[in-house]
């Protein structure tokens, strides 16, 4: 009976371990990344094991993998080969990101423009807003969003290392639990 139940119990143990790996990867992202969005956290997914194919796969969905890859292997952090947007005076959401299409909305205002401006600190490229003279303050330009070049990423997710540590710690316990449950409920 145990031999008959073993493939089922093995698949159950692999799936339970894969779920623990997924949760550990999400926790690791919270530690390494600065305020990851739910989209990024939910990008860790599982292809579950079955009796016929006792292999589970914990992976990052392709859309998120494109921007998370530098955090795993190192390199330049850039999004779609474009300049990174650094909010200066623009409002950000709860995760510190600019709202969708904000640059287009800002640039479409009559008192704003996109371009390079020579400042005391050099030439700055971004979205600028013309300000009016108010309460004795002189009017001028206010930088809303700065365009910056891609930068080297120093943080590391250690995706494989986290997965190995969780599997080493959890699989045996999950297999024992699944075998005991399978034997108890066997017909």
């Amino acid at each position: 009976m145990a031999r008959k139940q073993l493939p089922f119990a093995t698949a159950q143990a692999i799936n339970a371990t894969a779920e623990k790996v997924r949760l550990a990867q999400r926790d690791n992202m919270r530690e390494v990344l600065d305020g990851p969005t739910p989209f990024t956290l939910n990008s860790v997914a599982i292809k579950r094991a079955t009796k016929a194919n006792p292999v589970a796969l914990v992976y990052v969905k392709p859309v998120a993998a494109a921007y998370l890859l530098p955090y795993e292997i190192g390199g330049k952090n850039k999004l779609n080969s474009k300049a990174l947007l650094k909010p200066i005076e623009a409002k950000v959401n709860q995760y510190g990101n600019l709202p969708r299409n904000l640059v287009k909305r800002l640039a479409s205002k009559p008192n704003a423009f996109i371009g390079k401006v020579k400042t005391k600190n050099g030439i700055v490229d971004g979205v600028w807003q013309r300000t009016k003279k108010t309460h004795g303050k002189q009017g001028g330009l206010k930088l809303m969003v700065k365009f910056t070049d891609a930068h080297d990423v120093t943080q590391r997710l250690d995706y494989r290392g986290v997965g190995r540590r969780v599997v080493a710690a959890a699989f045996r316990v999950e297999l024992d639990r699944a075998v005991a449950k399978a034997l108890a409920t066997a017909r």
Side-chain angles (χ1 to χ4, degrees):
M1 185 177 288
R3 189 173 294 146
K4 186 177 177 185
Q5 293 295 323
L6 194 58
F8 174 75
T10 303
Q12 293 296 320
I14 291 171
N15 288 333
T17 304
E19 182 62 30
K20 287 187 176 190
V21 170
R22 185 180 77 83
L23 294 174
Q25 296 296 353
R26 289 174 54 134
D27 291 342
N28 186 44
M29 284 180 180
R30 285 188 192 98
E31 288 177 25
V32 174
L33 303 175
D34 183 26
T37 62
F39 179 83
T40 299
L41 294 174
N42 292 332
S43 68
V44 181
I46 300 172
K47 182 177 181 287
R48 300 205 173 272
T50 62
K51 282 184 357 180
N53 184 19
V55 176
L57 178 66
V58 181
Y59 64 98
V60 177
K61 294 176 184 173
V63 173
Y67 64 84
L68 288 174
L69 188 61
Y71 292 95
E72 178 65 20
I73 63 171
K76 299 273 186 195
N77 178 18
K78 59 182 179 179
L79 197 56
N80 299 333
S81 301
K82 296 180 182 176
L84 297 176
L85 305 176
K86 182 177 180 184
I88 305 295
E89 291 288 329
K91 290 185 178 179
V92 294
N93 64 17
Q94 67 203 41
Y95 304 105
N97 297 329
L98 291 170
R100 183 180 217 105
N101 297 326
L102 179 76
V103 172
K104 284 183 183 178
R105 281 185 295 169
L106 287 174
S108 68
K109 292 183 177 183
N111 67 337
F113 67 94
I114 295 176
K116 296 178 181 180
V117 173
K118 187 174 181 180
T119 66
K120 295 178 211 171
N121 299 328
I123 296 176
V124 178
D125 193 8
V127 180
W128 295 86
Q129 184 178 34
R130 293 177 189 92
T131 59
K132 294 181 180 178
K133 182 178 178 180
T134 56
H135 301 293
K137 286 187 178 180
Q138 192 175 6
L141 293 176
K142 181 166 64 169
L143 181 60
M144 302 299 288
V145 178
K146 182 178 179 181
F147 301 151
T148 61
D149 292 329
H151 58 278
D152 284 322
V153 176
T154 57
Q155 301 107 323
R156 295 288 182 262
L157 285 171
D158 190 26
Y159 189 78
R160 289 179 180 95
V162 169
R164 281 189 201 108
R165 287 189 294 276
V166 172
V167 168
F171 181 69
R172 186 68 191 176
V173 173
E174 291 298 335
L175 183 60
D176 291 344
R177 185 178 296 144
V179 169
K181 184 177 178 183
L183 290 176
T185 60
R187 295 179 195 160

